[in-house]
Amino acid sequence: MAALHPAARLISSGIVAVEATGRRLSGKIAVKDGILEMALLPGLDHARLLGRFLPEVPRATLGWDDFGHVREEATLARDLLRAALGARRPGVNLLLHGPTGTGKTELARLLAGDLGVSLFAAGKADEQGESATALERLSSLLLGQHLIGPGQALILFDEIEDLFDAGWLSAFGLRRAESRMSKQWFNDCLETNPVPTVWITNRTEGIDEAFLRRFTYVLELEPLGARHRARVLTRYVGADAAVSSADVDAIADRYLASPAQIATAVAAARLIAPDGRPDRSTIERVLTPVERLLTGNDPSRRAIFDPSTYRIDVVNSPEDLAGLSDSLATFRSGAGPGPSLCLHGPAGTGKSELVRYLAHRMGKRLVHRRPSDILDCWVGGTEKNIARAFREAESDDAVLLFDEVETFLRDRRLAFRSWEVTQVNEFLQQIEVFHGVVACTTNLADELDPACLRRFVFKIELRFLRADQALALFRATWPGVLPDDGVAAQALWRISYLTPGDFAAVARRVRALARIPLACELVELLRREVEAKRLGTSSLGFRTGPGG
């Protein structure tokens, strides 16, 4: 029985596993899949055994510039692994976590390449192409710890979350997730492994905190910000591409692509182009369906701010908006918290567009988050998304915009659930230490938490258009259509509750019709837009007759 002791070589190497539960002897002892077939091969050597269960991972295709957003953390991880390899120190484990497509595996490859050692992946598909199970990969990891000498290589274990069985009840918060293996056994594994190991997971939810605390170093990889996407895209398109720097910025702003997606899109565009020079249109056509599949959003419909058409003089506010924009244009991040703005007022009054204009005046990108980007069905998820938005804006030196903040910053005194309180607390903590400019918009300022309102340096109310502003915006939107004096102009003056959003809605309808209606028709459409907005019903359309 000594051969089947947990510390014995057969068990500790992963070659043989003993089922801890169950009383029947049948099936209690299992030999690692494929090990018997390998044992019968003539001329079996160390290299063939290693290649069967721990194939070497190819070198990285990305460079350090592609990980500029985590350069400091990645450098620390590299230095840690180098020291562990040099000292042959056991128990060194690096955890890389973050959403799919953020480059975790590629970073592991880059670290190994920079250290000049091989990277072996625990487990691989069998002859039928079936992926190895989590426990099969775990046994390969144990085997690799014996086959690979200390100080010679790194081992990669991907999808660590597969080792943990959350159980269907845990999805409803009824009980904590349970591990597939003994907690003590796994902790011992993390403390004694002779070969430094890089563990990868897309999510840490469901993994016991006792396990997470055992990792030597943890590095989170988040989706790239626009500035880093632009840097990656510039490197891939090269100097000979038919893509200008303005095109690069536009693609980076519109598409939330990972480095791998960018590389694939540029390669495809280069293949399609007759002269081998990728252009913006083709790159966007390749990126669009992938992003639509992954996020459910159509990036081609994301609004791009056009400063040439923006009119700050038709934004109605008691504040001096022109003076505010001039002041913010000279703002530079310092040691303390930066300016914060709360823009409130009826829908359509131009709150979000004003923030885009301010970001343009400051010469900064905009990190824009809507409620669908922030709210999460899992407890703690909303708080993480709030913190992630602040980190991205900080990293990109960008203006941060949260739309419709009443969805997650409601008055804590009216909260029914604990997470309604913690997400407000998270926002308050983040805004206290954020060095950049953060702006929030809301149609329901009276529902916001009072502590949040106090944190905003500027509380800017946007109101319905004044009559003179409505007239100016009409003439700017449809030049030459409205006479200086006449029935249509007088009718426009009499419409209350107009907003820039109403003009934008009618303008979209006009573009769809591909003709410019008469001034009186446009005024009537604006009136009916306001009526539909106030009554909650709509029967918009051009009049076709006396009863139309």
Side-chain angles (χ1 to χ4, degrees), residues 1-189:
M1 294 300 293
L4 298 179
H5 189 275
R9 186 175 294 272
L10 280 178
I11 304 299
S12 63
S13 66
I15 294 176
V16 173
V18 178
E19 178 60 47
T21 61
R23 298 181 179 179
R24 299 183 61 181
L25 291 177
S26 176
K28 194 172 183 64
I29 298 177
V31 179
K32 179 175 175 59
D33 288 348
I35 198 72
L36 294 178
E37 293 84 349
M38 293 295 296
L40 296 176
L41 289 177
L44 177 63
D45 57 14
H46 177 275
R48 295 182 69 181
L49 189 62
L50 193 63
R52 169 62 179 84
F53 297 109
L54 289 103
E56 186 171 356
V57 178
R59 293 297 185 185
T61 58
L62 301 180
W64 281 107
D65 287 344
D66 299 315
F67 295 95
H69 55 302
V70 291
R71 184 62 181 264
E72 183 177 344
E73 296 89 341
T75 300
L76 179 58
R78 181 195 60 191
D79 294 343
L80 170 66
L81 293 173
R82 176 181 287 120
L85 290 167
R88 300 191 174 188
R89 175 71 176 268
V92 174
N93 296 274
L94 169 65
L95 176 64
L96 304 180
H97 70 103
T100 302
T102 49
K104 299 181 292 296
T105 303
E106 196 67 15
L107 178 58
R109 295 176 178 179
L110 184 62
L111 289 169
D114 208 46
L115 294 170
V117 297
S118 298
L119 178 66
F120 296 99
K124 72 175 219 177
D126 58 22
E127 290 76 5
Q128 288 73 40
E130 295 292 332
S131 298
T133 67
L135 295 182
E136 287 170 351
R137 289 187 289 118
L138 184 59
S139 66
S140 294
L141 170 68
L142 297 176
L143 183 61
Q145 298 291 352
H146 286 73
L147 292 177
I148 302 171
Q152 299 179 10
L154 304 176
I155 295 180
L156 173 68
F157 193 99
D158 205 350
E159 299 175 349
I160 183 180
E161 64 270 18
D162 289 350
L163 288 176
F164 301 88
D165 181 14
W168 69 273
L169 288 176
S170 66
F172 301 95
L174 299 180
R175 64 179 176 87
R176 292 183 61 82
E178 295 179 355
S179 169
R180 291 180 185 269
M181 75 290 291
S182 160
K183 181 181 294 187
Q184 184 60 48
W185 181 91
F186 193 65
N187 287 341
D188 290 343
C189 178

Side-chain angles (χ1 to χ4, degrees), residues 34 351 396 429 431 536 543:
K351 299 181 289 294
D396 264 10
Q429 292 169 13
I431 200 173
R543 292 187 177 219

Side-chain angles (χ1 to χ4, degrees), residues 380-422:
T382 297
E383 292 89 330
K384 289 183 179 180
N385 290 336
I386 292 172
R388 185 175 290 119
F390 276 97
R391 287 198 298 270
E392 180 181 337
E394 189 93 52
S395 175
D396 264 10
D397 189 26
V399 173
L400 177 57
L401 168 61
F402 291 103
D403 262 337
E404 301 177 50
V405 292
E406 69 274 4
T407 57
F408 58 90
L409 294 183
R410 290 187 181 275
D411 193 334
R412 286 171 292 181
R413 294 171 299 183
L414 305 177
F416 291 100
R417 303 170 182 86
S418 61
W419 49 262
E420 294 177 297
V421 175
T422 56

Side-chain angles (χ1 to χ4, degrees), residues 402-523:
F402 291 103
D403 262 337
E404 301 177 50
V405 292
E406 69 274 4
T407 57
F408 58 90
L409 294 183
R410 290 187 181 275
D411 193 334
R412 286 171 292 181
R413 294 171 299 183
L414 305 177
F416 291 100
R417 303 170 182 86
S418 61
W419 49 262
E420 294 177 297
V421 175
T422 56
Q423 58 195 30
V424 175
N425 292 341
E426 179 65 36
F427 181 85
L428 292 175
Q429 292 169 13
Q430 292 292 339
I431 200 173
E432 286 287 352
V433 297
F434 183 58
H435 296 163
V437 176
V438 57
C440 296
T441 72
T442 179
N443 303 337
L444 304 168
D446 56 338
E447 295 188 8
L448 295 187
D449 188 273
C452 290
L453 281 174
R454 287 196 299 271
R455 295 303 196 282
F456 292 110
V457 178
F458 299 99
K459 303 172 184 65
I460 302 171
E461 180 187 5
L462 271 65
R463 301 172 176 173
F464 295 112
L465 294 173
R466 300 190 308 268
D468 62 308
Q469 290 176 317
L471 185 61
L473 187 54
F474 190 107
R475 288 175 173 156
T477 307
W478 300 289
V481 174
L482 186 68
D484 291 338
D485 53 358
V487 175
Q490 294 174 10
L492 180 64
W493 274 74
R494 289 193 294 268
I495 301 177
S496 301
Y497 307 110
L498 271 173
T499 69
D502 298 324
F503 281 85
V506 173
R508 287 193 294 270
R509 180 176 290 272
V510 169
R511 284 196 296 272
L513 294 171
R515 73 176 181 87
I516 300 297
L518 299 175
C520 60
E521 292 178 302
L522 291 170
V523 171

